[in-house]
Amino acid sequence: MNNRRPSGMSTNLPPEVARPLARITERLVGEHDGLTVLTLVTEACRGLLRAQATGVLLLDPRGGIQVAAASDERARLIELLQAFSDEGPCSESIRTGKIIEVDDVASTEDRWPAFARAAADAGYATIVALPMRLDGQTVGGINLLFTKNVRLTDAERELGQALTDLASLGLSQDHSARRIRRVSEYTLTTLNDRVHVAHAIGYLAGALDLDPEQARIVFTEYANSHRINLADLARALTSGVLRPTDIGTQSTAVPPTP
């Protein structure tokens, strides 16, 4: 059996990480409102990512950007300034859909004159803005505010974006009977996709002379590295859009299964 573990993952998740994630996901699978999830996410960002304060800006369907949450009054004023002046890292993150990291807020006065002065006067040195994304669209952003110059590690950056994505899910969940109906629809789709993926993996195994487990690993690694849904990759493979050799030659080598 192949016991390879994806790089960067550990079997021992620290309690200080597990507990906030458990609280957020418990809300997501139960009855919840978007603001509660946003609050839990921003609290987790403060605890796990060393931020002294956090704030959330959301795109208003009626136009513009609105402050949805802030950890304290000082952070709320900074978020309000970004919303009304359209200056600052979070506004830019919402426009571009990218993580914006400002290591030294005071040095950005040419870029964001009003925001840079206000943020520096409020005592913030570093700000990181994480985009809230849903179905390929940016719907808002979460600000991490630091009173000291900080540079996030790659792991912290990935965790921050994962928490931000959970906040996006908190805005999109249906409730009650409607949610149950949608779950039924998604369940049927998932089961159909599973069959299609199994066929694609079998096709890949035969074409590349791999055993089924090797083919599954090659298939899923290609999907993960290219950020493709498994069902979409299966359709591309079985329809001829992708050839088995396209997937096999671009995946990492898989050792033979004992």
Side-chain angles (χ1 to χ4, degrees), residues 1 10 34 89 91 100 130 137 173-174 193 217 243:
M1 175 180 286
S10 170
S91 294
I100 304 296
L130 303 154
Q137 302 293 318
Q173 300 294 300
D174 291 328
D193 287 345
I217 293 172
R243 297 170 298 179

Side-chain angles (χ1 to χ4, degrees), residues 62 84 89 102 144 174 189-190 210 213-214 232 237 255 257:
R62 299 163 296 186
F84 287 114
V102 178
L144 309 178
D174 291 328
T189 299
T190 299
L210 300 172
E213 178 61 13
Q214 289 176 317
D232 290 339
L237 184 61
T257 302

Side-chain angles (χ1 to χ4, degrees), residues 197 201 215-225 228 230 233:
V197 166
I201 290 174
R216 182 191 65 78
I217 293 172
V218 168
F219 184 88
T220 55
E221 285 190 348
Y222 184 93
N224 291 336
S225 64
I228 304 173
L230 294 177
L233 180 56

Side-chain angles (χ1 to χ4, degrees), residues 110-130:
D110 290 342
R111 186 177 180 184
W112 304 310
F115 172 80
R117 288 192 297 270
D121 289 346
Y124 296 119
T126 294
I127 297 179
V128 178
L130 303 154

Side-chain angles (χ1 to χ4, degrees), residues 20-40:
L21 291 177
R23 284 194 290 268
I24 294 167
T25 54
E26 181 183 22
R27 284 288 184 170
L28 286 173
V29 300
E31 290 290 339
H32 69 273
D33 60 276
L35 184 58
T36 297
V37 175
L38 284 178
T39 301
L40 289 172

Side-chain angles (χ1 to χ4, degrees), residues 45 110 172 176 199:
C45 285
D110 290 342
S172 67
S176 304
H199 288 163

Side-chain angles (χ1 to χ4, degrees), residues 76-107:
R76 189 182 73 85
L77 292 175
I78 296 301
E79 298 303 289
L80 283 171
L81 178 59
Q82 289 198 85
F84 287 114
S85 68
D86 199 27
E87 286 187 12
C90 201
S91 294
E92 184 168 321
S93 180
I94 291 172
R95 282 196 302 271
T96 63
K98 298 178 180 179
I99 297 175
I100 304 296
E101 299 183 67
V102 178
D103 296 329
D104 182 11
V105 171
S107 68

Side-chain angles (χ1 to χ4, degrees), residues 127-198:
I127 297 179
V128 178
L130 303 154
M132 294 176 62
R133 304 169 301 198
L134 193 64
D135 291 335
Q137 302 293 318
T138 305
V139 298
I142 290 181
N143 264 335
L144 309 178
L145 299 101
F146 303 85
T147 55
K148 297 180 180 179
N149 293 109
V150 172
R151 182 174 291 273
L152 295 182
T153 66
D154 289 342
E156 288 175 326
R157 197 175 294 110
E158 290 179 2
L159 177 58
Q161 189 59 66
L163 288 167
T164 303
D165 291 342
L166 289 177
S168 299
L169 288 176
L171 300 176
S172 67
Q173 300 294 300
D174 291 328
H175 295 282
S176 304
R178 181 171 59 178
R179 176 160 59 174
I180 296 301
R181 288 195 300 271
R182 290 180 66 85
V183 167
S184 296
E185 294 169 3
Y186 290 146
T187 299
L188 289 174
T189 299
T190 299
L191 292 174
N192 290 333
D193 287 345
R194 180 188 61 78
V195 172
H196 198 172
V197 166

